[in-house]
Amino acid sequence: MVSSFKASIQNDDNLAKYGPFRGEGQGRILQRFPEKDWEDSPFPQGIELFCQPSGWQLVPERQPASFFVAVLTDINSDRHYCACFTFWEGLDNPQLQAEASEVDEADEVLAVVQPAQVFAPKSLVLVSRLDHTEVFRNCLGLIYTVHVDGLTVPLETVVGNLLTCIIPIAGGSQRTITLGAGDRQVIQTPIDDSLPVSGSTVAQLFRQLGIVNVLYLFCAALTEHKILFLSSSYQRLTDACRGLLAIMFPLKYSFTYVPILPGKLLEVLSTPTPFIIGVNSFFRSETQELLDVIIADLDGGTVTTPECVHISLLPEPLLQQTQTVLSMVLDPELEIADHAFPPLSTQPSALKIQDKEIRGVFLWLFARLFQGYRWCLHIIRIHPEPVIRFHKAAFLGQRSLTEEDFLMKVLDGMAFAGFVSERGPPYRATDLFDDLVANHVERIRQEEACPHKVMNHVKELAEQLFRNENPYPAVAMHKVQRPSERSQNMAQKQSPFPALDDVAVQLFIDHAASKLKTAPPVVKAEVKGMVPSGPPLGDIVDRNGNVMANSARRLEVVRNCITYLFENKMLEAKKLMPAVLRALKGRAARVCLTQELNQHVLQNRAVLDDQQFDCIVRMMNCTLQDCSHIDEQGIAAALLPLVTAFCRKMGAGTTQFAYSCVQEHMVWTTMQFWEAMFYSDVQNHIRALYLETDEGEQEISALDLASEQSRLWPTLSKEMQTERVQKEESTVFSQAIHYANRMSYLLLPLDTSKNRLLRTTGLADVESVSNSYVTNSIAGSMAESYDTESGFEEAESSDVANSVVRFINRFVDKVCNESGVTNEHLKALHTMIPDIVQMHIETLDAVHRESKRMPPTQKSKLLRPTLLPGEELVMDGMRVHLIPDGREEATGLMGGPPLLPAEGAIFLTTYRLIFKGTPHDPLVGEKVVTRSFPIASLTKEKRISVNLAIDHYIQEGLQLRSCTFQLMKIAFDEEVASDLAEVFKKHMHKLRYPQHVQGTFAFTYGLTFPFFLPLVFFRTLSKNLVKTAKRTIGRQHVTKKKYSPPTWENRSSFQSELDEDVISVSEEADQSSLTLSSTMRSSDRQTMSNVVERACCRDYQRLGLGTLSSSLTRSKNEPFRISTVNRMYTVCRSYPGLLIVPQSIPDTTIQRICRCYRQNRFPVVCWRNPRTKAVLLRSAGLHAKGVVGFFKSPNTPSTGPSQADSTSLEQEKYLQAIISSMPSYSESSGRNTLSGFTSTHMTLGQRAKVISLSQPKVSGKARNPPRGKWSSIRGSGRLSAYNPDVGTRLAVKESPQPNGGPSEALFLRQQKAYLYIIGDKAQLKGGKQDSFQQWEVVPIEVCDVRQVKNSFKKLMKACVPTSLTPEHNVSFLRCLEESEWMLHKVLQVSVLVVALLDSGSSVMVSLEDGWDVTTQVVSLVQLLSDPYYRTFDGFRLLVEKEWLSFGHRFSHRGAQTLGSQSSGFTPVFLQFLDCVHQIHLQFPMEFEFSQYYLKFLAYHYVSNRFRTFLLDSDYERIELGVLYEEKGERKSPQVCKSVWDYIDRLNKKTPVFYNYMFSPEDEEVLRPYTFNSNLKVWDFYMEETLSEGPSYDWELRGRQERVAEETPEKADSGGPKSQRHIVWPCYDSLSKAVPDAITKLLQDLQSLEAELGLTSEKWKDTWDKIKTAQRTEAKLESKVRSTGSSLLMSSNLSHQRRSQRVYLQESAGGSSINLTLDCEATATSTPVAGRPKTPFETSHKVSFEGILFKKGAMLKPWKPRWFVLDKTKHQLRYYESRQDKECKGVIDLADVESVLAGTSAMGAPKNIEEKAFFDLKTTKRVYNFCAQDSLNAQLWMDSVQSCLSDA
């Protein structure tokens, strides 16, 4: 029977008296039938508001009758459908009556004419729980028709029939009803009432809003957002809401649902809960301010979303597929719109059919979304009623949809909770959706990729949905009367709707009620059945391929590792551990781990030893660390029983379980996880409960079992039913106790003073909601302590206990209430929980005490580094981890296991910073990783944050960068105290920046006390100390001498230090015009004798630039002389003591002109071209004030000769003297060639010519403005002040040479200047020019030191990046280009100067301060021009002369002391070495030394191991007493203070520095390519050897090899060992692993000699013999057949001059023949007496003896001695005289390196010819001898040489 009310409602006249223009009225109920409420549905209050939602108002014109259905929801969530039929009745205007009785003033009379009659609304309302819109419309329309047309049927009869007609609820039957007014209606019920009836509302909704908008609303409704529909039609609002609910099926909307909201209730829109509400467009303005409501305008077809609202849409590709199918339904023509021959009819279906098709699409969508949901249902009670919970985490995990925001929100929503409670029960009636989600999974799967198959499926579903609503469409015969046209037209004269007779209507109702009582009860036949579950989820996931890509090999690795663990093969297990930890990132490997561990649990227990326990715990932690808080993949669930099973025995009978070590994961503090676990276990136990009876059906699922039990339930007796209920309840109760224990295991920390729950943002007091307890990550909390204010342990532990008890209580309350546990059981649980927790705390305390006593985790042993002799540890090793930087080789990215990160120790010594350790990866765990660099090369340190996947706790990291191109990123281990790390940084800083250069390692070598104690630096010693020292020693000649402190190595020989090392430095400037001998005191002469021995002087004499003979007489016919004007360093502190100046310039002039130049560095000659006799000069740039004076015209009238004029004249005279010295000038008889040279483009007013040098034009691109490093030398400065035509003479406008230098014809074409001055363009502006002098100025732009400094920083970052993830689009080559490491500029200038010198013009390089770029250029010019400088001796001499003597500021540029720290590191010398390296690459046969030699110098010039590159000038070296100390023989053989001596000694032992391709052309001038494309990156910047660190400290290499030999590997019985050796690019030294062929042959030769018992010959002798033999053969061959010689030795290899393809592996490290420097004496002093004598040896064993003059040590005279050459003992002994029996000294021939012709020196015997001098050079010093004549000297030299050869 229809539960319905019929009410007649009209406008309340009293409230509406102000009429339509003055306010709103209020409706009131005139009549209602029945007058009393039905029992099952009360009358809805406030219904009058919904009849006129826009308000009750009078209107001036009659409106047509209207109909709509409003929906009301009662307190029980039942919906009531209010069909509202409204018509309008006329009234007399109440306002006109009011105006007649009032007296109004004229100006208040309204201009609006009021109508005489107004119309009031009256509504007929039918309220029903059934939703039959059309039937309601017809019935109410019929009542109105009866009234309007005045039909004979009484209205009471119609209303009575309407209230008493009986309609079946569902089942597909039809019912014909009549209201007694000649009408007939068929009411059709749906076949299945669970499916919504939509009519055509869904299709209309899509037509109004479109596909995208409706999908948007669909997702918003499912994810619980607020939705508001706007329309001017009430019925459309209702239909739109109905349509939206229909497509949400099978989910039911459970929030506020008001399709039509009255205007008076608009405040409802501010509710915080979600809703679907419809409002008339009339109220649009009031909805604009809603900030969180999605507004859908049905009339305008738009959906508006506020900015603050984010709607999660369907996951892709589901969203796209749904849109595609919907488009095919709604607009089938779209697909064929482009077809040339479209089908004839492609109209969309009829509206009702289209409606069902759209619903079919959404059914298909939900089937895909929810497929397999039944496998995630937990049934926790079967009797008396099924209780079911959905395991959301398992569903998301198995579907691999954890990242899908949409699905997460849907599953958390109330609609889905209703879905589970409604559809969860396993025994119930099923519908279309149940069938679809269970039986059509495979079909849906196959359809995904094909929209047409989906469309076919959708049409089948639509057919079923249509049939559900219209099972008998043809039978529907309706006959309903409508009001006649006449009655509608005559509506003006209608009578009001009459009041009905209550009694007559009630009689109808009572009569129908009595009939119902006598009729048999109508029972709806409900067919219950078992609900199918469909295929399990696992298959779905595998087919989707969303499982992590875990190959079978990875799973095999996991299984093998666990097997090794339990077989106690710990080494094998540890090797596999990193691979296992990597594999555990994937789900399959995690599941595999839990399965494997399960197999090793016996009776819920598995006892392990410590190592096994640690490994298992580590794997468990790794497995859990990626688990989210809800554990979608079920990993934590699978591990939960295992963490309470695996344990280890500790002392005092305690056992530690794994759960105490895996608590640091947020999953354990998530209520959802525990609930899901609990329900899962309860389900298993209840399943077991009912499976006990029939053992055979083990495979039946819990849901199927529950379904069967539900079916049987009514057949059981009461006792059986009660027993089953009790059994189920006790099962739940016992599980609750079990879980209270489990939770206390995982929530109580091992140290109960550290409470994690209390620290997690106060969540301990949150009410129990399944989603409310979500904590932040609590990893790492064990390292912190929870500080309570009380400070008492009892208080802390009770806090822990209380928080855990509260957490467990909330859990128990929730699960027990849901599971129907009785209150008595619940109270018992609440009593037990505190006892369980307290008992567990006591157990944990015992375990915690024992764990403290256990030894700490065994960490790898710290390896000790090998130290140099004299190198001492400042701080012992601190355990650190070396982290990978941006170099890929060591990280395993380029193949092979990763060498980094590595664990080891950092050591700080007086010389180096050393890391030594082993890689983390056990596969290479036996390798040793070493990375070190000299402490003096540290350029930057900074703190870094560290993220390492290792067990240990890492506190902080440090990044250390070195200018030897090393980078150390270290992280201090947890065992290193933070204050110790600070101490380490302080000591490192002290060592890096000592207060004085004497604090560097080169001076403190071998210091025995700890260096980091405060040092006294001797520069600060007062003069009083000097005086005290003088008195103590009693030396009178120390009066005016600088005090030099004793070095630490020889504190015992303090006296001899003063005797020999104190150099006189007088500040008085002597009259240089006097002769040298007359002005020098005796002490000065000693100084001069040392000065003469310096490299400068030797080179000057070699070049024929001037000599200092023994009589110091000046040769008048030489153009240049050696001036001693700076011998006391008074003219220029940074120049050497002896300088080459023009013969004609007196010293007084020099003292004046030096003031014009910066730092007093005036022009001096440093090299002369032997062919053209052109000279190369160097100086600093002119002072700013000196520039104008330099170019000032001498003809300017002046009152008197000013100082500036005279200086300028003297400068010109100085330059003229240089020009006059040139042969080309003297040949022209002094004629001024430039003045005679006429040219149209030269003006006579010019003085000095200025030439610009520009980059050659290579291509059209060069016309663009130069940028960065590609810009030309010329730069962008203006040159308008200079003569442009002279500029074109030198500017390279012609075809350039292929090497990037200027073409030679350019210089030879026109008249050259005699002297070119290369100057800085910035200083040469604004001067006048004329043509009377013979020099020209070439202004160039040079890079200053700041540019070099910044460029070097960029270069380091490019070559040694800090991280592997560079910025976007920043490649290595791009970084290299941006560094602007400007080698090409320096090389270009050098090539230009070489060309000028070669063409016969002299060149003066006058740039900056004369000690940076100037030095680079003049050094490279000499190297390119003079083959001598490309030999060992020549290169050493070049560096000593140009870099050391001429005062390059090594200390300042290298920031070697605290004072120069702020200036930063500026590698000018490194740039020079790089340039040499580039030239070496292009001309490999022109250099005697190898590339390794250059790297060696590049490393040691910043290492501060040697004193060679310390200090800024010779003056400073003399001042500290270090310039000549290397000459003395008192030094220890272990200590090399000069890098050159070290190289010489090393060169005797190994050919590592020798270039085997050395085969020079005579007098060849090199002209290298200088374009950027021709320059290569120096491998010194890129390479590293992690096996042993840098290869430049050879003592370390020797020691490491000996250690390796002393500890041979254990004999391996596992078969023959492979001969293959794996060479890693960053680990092994390539040259050592694969030495070049010649080194290998020399090594083989040496080993053969050792086997035969022969004394090994030095490698150089062997090499020279082979070379000589080969040359001889070549000569013979060329006589026979005039062909070229062999490649290595040939001298006519003109086509091989440049190394385009010629390459021989350089020997950086492996080519040692005898590497051990510290055993020189033992290596060759083995007694030879026992050796069998050959006839040759016997005949020559005659001693050679005689008198020789020997020069004493420093400051000692020449003395005659009796020398005996003993070939038997291999010695050269000397005595006072022939008769003397006591030997005064022995020179061991084993130490002799060479015997060479010498030169006369100061103090030598008079009247002895030059050739009588010879030198014997040993590893310790050079002995100077003088024989009686040249013949005697030659005899001595030959004898010694033969002895050396015999050795």
Side-chain angles (χ1 to χ4, degrees), residues 778-802:
I778 49 174
S781 61
M782 291 290 276
E784 302 165 19
S785 64
Y786 177 71
D787 301 318
T788 53
E789 291 179 11
S790 65
F792 296 107
E793 280 192 339
E794 293 79 14
E796 291 177 0
S797 60
S798 67
D799 281 342
V800 174
N802 288 339

mmCIF file of all heavy atoms in Angstrom, residues 778-802:
data_model
loop_
_atom_site.group_PDB
_atom_site.id
_atom_site.type_symbol
_atom_site.label_atom_id
_atom_site.label_comp_id
_atom_site.label_asym_id
_atom_site.label_seq_id
_atom_site.Cartn_x
_atom_site.Cartn_y
_atom_site.Cartn_z
ATOM 1 N N ILE A 778 59.013 7.667 12.533
ATOM 2 C CA ILE A 778 59.732 7.766 13.799
ATOM 3 C C ILE A 778 61.094 7.118 13.680
ATOM 4 O O ILE A 778 61.687 6.700 14.661
ATOM 5 C CB ILE A 778 58.934 7.081 14.930
ATOM 6 C CG1 ILE A 778 58.483 5.681 14.492
ATOM 7 C CG2 ILE A 778 57.731 7.901 15.317
ATOM 8 C CD1 ILE A 778 57.833 4.898 15.558
ATOM 9 N N ALA A 779 61.605 7.035 12.465
ATOM 10 C CA ALA A 779 62.937 6.458 12.292
ATOM 11 C C ALA A 779 63.965 7.321 12.995
ATOM 12 O O ALA A 779 63.882 8.528 12.985
ATOM 13 C CB ALA A 779 63.265 6.359 10.818
ATOM 14 N N GLY A 780 64.923 6.679 13.575
ATOM 15 C CA GLY A 780 66.002 7.421 14.224
ATOM 16 C C GLY A 780 65.672 7.847 15.632
ATOM 17 O O GLY A 780 66.496 8.472 16.301
ATOM 18 N N SER A 781 64.465 7.526 16.117
ATOM 19 C CA SER A 781 64.121 8.030 17.438
ATOM 20 C C SER A 781 64.873 7.299 18.541
ATOM 21 O O SER A 781 64.992 7.794 19.644
ATOM 22 C CB SER A 781 62.622 7.900 17.666
ATOM 23 O OG SER A 781 62.254 6.549 17.600
ATOM 24 N N MET A 782 65.368 6.102 18.246
ATOM 25 C CA MET A 782 66.125 5.377 19.273
ATOM 26 C C MET A 782 67.383 6.137 19.656
ATOM 27 O O MET A 782 67.917 5.956 20.736
ATOM 28 C CB MET A 782 66.514 3.986 18.748
ATOM 29 C CG MET A 782 65.338 3.051 18.575
ATOM 30 S SD MET A 782 64.646 2.525 20.131
ATOM 31 C CE MET A 782 65.737 1.159 20.515
ATOM 32 N N ALA A 783 67.857 6.965 18.737
ATOM 33 C CA ALA A 783 69.094 7.681 19.037
ATOM 34 C C ALA A 783 68.854 8.836 19.992
ATOM 35 O O ALA A 783 69.785 9.378 20.555
ATOM 36 C CB ALA A 783 69.702 8.203 17.743
ATOM 37 N N GLU A 784 67.584 9.225 20.141
ATOM 38 C CA GLU A 784 67.297 10.355 21.011
ATOM 39 C C GLU A 784 66.689 9.827 22.299
ATOM 40 O O GLU A 784 66.222 8.708 22.379
ATOM 41 C CB GLU A 784 66.303 11.301 20.330
ATOM 42 C CG GLU A 784 66.805 11.806 19.000
ATOM 43 C CD GLU A 784 65.688 12.433 18.200
ATOM 44 O OE1 GLU A 784 64.667 12.786 18.806
ATOM 45 O OE2 GLU A 784 65.849 12.555 16.989
ATOM 46 N N SER A 785 66.672 10.635 23.322
ATOM 47 C CA SER A 785 66.046 10.203 24.565
ATOM 48 C C SER A 785 64.857 11.085 24.844
ATOM 49 O O SER A 785 64.850 12.256 24.507
ATOM 50 C CB SER A 785 67.036 10.277 25.712
ATOM 51 O OG SER A 785 67.424 11.596 25.930
ATOM 52 N N TYR A 786 63.862 10.493 25.465
ATOM 53 C CA TYR A 786 62.684 11.265 25.810
ATOM 54 C C TYR A 786 62.907 11.896 27.175
ATOM 55 O O TYR A 786 63.094 11.215 28.168
ATOM 56 C CB TYR A 786 61.466 10.342 25.821
ATOM 57 C CG TYR A 786 60.220 11.068 26.247
ATOM 58 C CD1 TYR A 786 59.632 12.009 25.415
ATOM 59 C CD2 TYR A 786 59.672 10.846 27.509
ATOM 60 C CE1 TYR A 786 58.515 12.683 25.808
ATOM 61 C CE2 TYR A 786 58.551 11.522 27.898
ATOM 62 C CZ TYR A 786 57.971 12.432 27.051
ATOM 63 O OH TYR A 786 56.853 13.108 27.442
ATOM 64 N N ASP A 787 62.931 13.213 27.217
ATOM 65 C CA ASP A 787 63.218 13.909 28.473
ATOM 66 C C ASP A 787 61.914 14.294 29.144
ATOM 67 O O ASP A 787 61.161 15.098 28.630
ATOM 68 C CB ASP A 787 64.034 15.181 28.184
ATOM 69 C CG ASP A 787 65.324 14.833 27.490
ATOM 70 O OD1 ASP A 787 65.922 13.841 27.920
ATOM 71 O OD2 ASP A 787 65.711 15.529 26.538
ATOM 72 N N THR A 788 61.666 13.712 30.290
ATOM 73 C CA THR A 788 60.504 14.149 31.064
ATOM 74 C C THR A 788 60.969 15.154 32.086
ATOM 75 O O THR A 788 62.134 15.165 32.492
ATOM 76 C CB THR A 788 59.868 12.949 31.784
ATOM 77 O OG1 THR A 788 60.892 12.298 32.518
ATOM 78 C CG2 THR A 788 59.252 11.991 30.823
ATOM 79 N N GLU A 789 60.037 15.960 32.527
ATOM 80 C CA GLU A 789 60.418 17.018 33.455
ATOM 81 C C GLU A 789 60.783 16.443 34.812
ATOM 82 O O GLU A 789 61.566 17.011 35.555
ATOM 83 C CB GLU A 789 59.275 18.033 33.595
ATOM 84 C CG GLU A 789 59.068 18.839 32.317
ATOM 85 C CD GLU A 789 57.930 19.811 32.454
ATOM 86 O OE1 GLU A 789 57.454 19.993 33.582
ATOM 87 O OE2 GLU A 789 57.536 20.384 31.437
ATOM 88 N N SER A 790 60.188 15.311 35.202
ATOM 89 C CA SER A 790 60.419 14.796 36.549
ATOM 90 C C SER A 790 61.841 14.312 36.727
ATOM 91 O O SER A 790 62.434 14.457 37.783
ATOM 92 C CB SER A 790 59.447 13.654 36.823
ATOM 93 O OG SER A 790 59.732 12.588 35.952
ATOM 94 N N GLY A 791 62.384 13.718 35.687
ATOM 95 C CA GLY A 791 63.758 13.247 35.781
ATOM 96 C C GLY A 791 63.890 11.897 36.447
ATOM 97 O O GLY A 791 64.986 11.396 36.649
ATOM 98 N N PHE A 792 62.793 11.271 36.837
ATOM 99 C CA PHE A 792 62.876 9.960 37.485
ATOM 100 C C PHE A 792 62.572 8.865 36.470
ATOM 101 O O PHE A 792 61.646 8.994 35.673
ATOM 102 C CB PHE A 792 61.877 9.857 38.642
ATOM 103 C CG PHE A 792 62.170 10.818 39.758
ATOM 104 C CD1 PHE A 792 61.381 11.933 39.973
ATOM 105 C CD2 PHE A 792 63.258 10.616 40.587
ATOM 106 C CE1 PHE A 792 61.658 12.819 40.989
ATOM 107 C CE2 PHE A 792 63.541 11.502 41.606
ATOM 108 C CZ PHE A 792 62.741 12.604 41.813
ATOM 109 N N GLU A 793 63.313 7.794 36.568
ATOM 110 C CA GLU A 793 63.109 6.696 35.614
ATOM 111 C C GLU A 793 61.712 6.105 35.759
ATOM 112 O O GLU A 793 61.081 5.732 34.798
ATOM 113 C CB GLU A 793 64.154 5.609 35.834
ATOM 114 C CG GLU A 793 65.494 5.947 35.212
ATOM 115 C CD GLU A 793 66.404 4.736 35.197
ATOM 116 O OE1 GLU A 793 66.178 3.818 35.984
ATOM 117 O OE2 GLU A 793 67.323 4.717 34.384
ATOM 118 N N GLU A 794 61.224 5.998 37.033
ATOM 119 C CA GLU A 794 59.906 5.398 37.236
ATOM 120 C C GLU A 794 58.853 6.196 36.474
ATOM 121 O O GLU A 794 57.999 5.645 35.809
ATOM 122 C CB GLU A 794 59.556 5.376 38.728
ATOM 123 C CG GLU A 794 60.421 4.441 39.566
ATOM 124 C CD GLU A 794 61.781 5.065 39.872
ATOM 125 O OE1 GLU A 794 61.957 6.281 39.668
ATOM 126 O OE2 GLU A 794 62.662 4.327 40.304
ATOM 127 N N ALA A 795 58.982 7.528 36.584
ATOM 128 C CA ALA A 795 57.998 8.374 35.910
ATOM 129 C C ALA A 795 58.062 8.152 34.402
ATOM 130 O O ALA A 795 57.047 8.058 33.732
ATOM 131 C CB ALA A 795 58.249 9.830 36.234
ATOM 132 N N GLU A 796 59.317 8.043 33.878
ATOM 133 C CA GLU A 796 59.457 7.874 32.429
ATOM 134 C C GLU A 796 58.867 6.549 31.982
ATOM 135 O O GLU A 796 58.110 6.479 31.037
ATOM 136 C CB GLU A 796 60.935 7.960 32.047
ATOM 137 C CG GLU A 796 61.512 9.349 32.213
ATOM 138 C CD GLU A 796 62.993 9.375 31.894
ATOM 139 O OE1 GLU A 796 63.531 8.314 31.557
ATOM 140 O OE2 GLU A 796 63.589 10.460 31.962
ATOM 141 N N SER A 797 59.224 5.483 32.698
ATOM 142 C CA SER A 797 58.742 4.178 32.245
ATOM 143 C C SER A 797 57.234 4.098 32.392
ATOM 144 O O SER A 797 56.558 3.486 31.592
ATOM 145 C CB SER A 797 59.437 3.058 33.015
ATOM 146 O OG SER A 797 59.148 3.204 34.387
ATOM 147 N N SER A 798 56.680 4.755 33.432
ATOM 148 C CA SER A 798 55.230 4.699 33.564
ATOM 149 C C SER A 798 54.567 5.480 32.437
ATOM 150 O O SER A 798 53.498 5.133 31.967
ATOM 151 C CB SER A 798 54.794 5.253 34.920
ATOM 152 O OG SER A 798 55.064 6.642 34.981
ATOM 153 N N ASP A 799 55.238 6.570 31.979
ATOM 154 C CA ASP A 799 54.702 7.289 30.827
ATOM 155 C C ASP A 799 54.649 6.377 29.607
ATOM 156 O O ASP A 799 53.673 6.377 28.858
ATOM 157 C CB ASP A 799 55.576 8.510 30.510
ATOM 158 C CG ASP A 799 55.256 9.654 31.462
ATOM 159 O OD1 ASP A 799 54.191 9.588 32.075
ATOM 160 O OD2 ASP A 799 56.084 10.564 31.578
ATOM 161 N N VAL A 800 55.725 5.648 29.421
ATOM 162 C CA VAL A 800 55.745 4.707 28.303
ATOM 163 C C VAL A 800 54.621 3.707 28.458
ATOM 164 O O VAL A 800 53.832 3.471 27.541
ATOM 165 C CB VAL A 800 57.102 3.964 28.249
ATOM 166 C CG1 VAL A 800 57.057 2.899 27.191
ATOM 167 C CG2 VAL A 800 58.219 4.929 27.987
ATOM 168 N N ALA A 801 54.525 3.140 29.644
ATOM 169 C CA ALA A 801 53.504 2.122 29.873
ATOM 170 C C ALA A 801 52.108 2.703 29.650
ATOM 171 O O ALA A 801 51.274 2.092 28.977
ATOM 172 C CB ALA A 801 53.639 1.585 31.299
ATOM 173 N N ASN A 802 51.880 3.892 30.192
ATOM 174 C CA ASN A 802 50.541 4.485 30.064
ATOM 175 C C ASN A 802 50.175 4.734 28.609
ATOM 176 O O ASN A 802 49.040 4.466 28.189
ATOM 177 C CB ASN A 802 50.478 5.812 30.829
ATOM 178 C CG ASN A 802 50.467 5.575 32.331
ATOM 179 O OD1 ASN A 802 50.125 4.479 32.775
ATOM 180 N ND2 ASN A 802 50.864 6.572 33.105
#
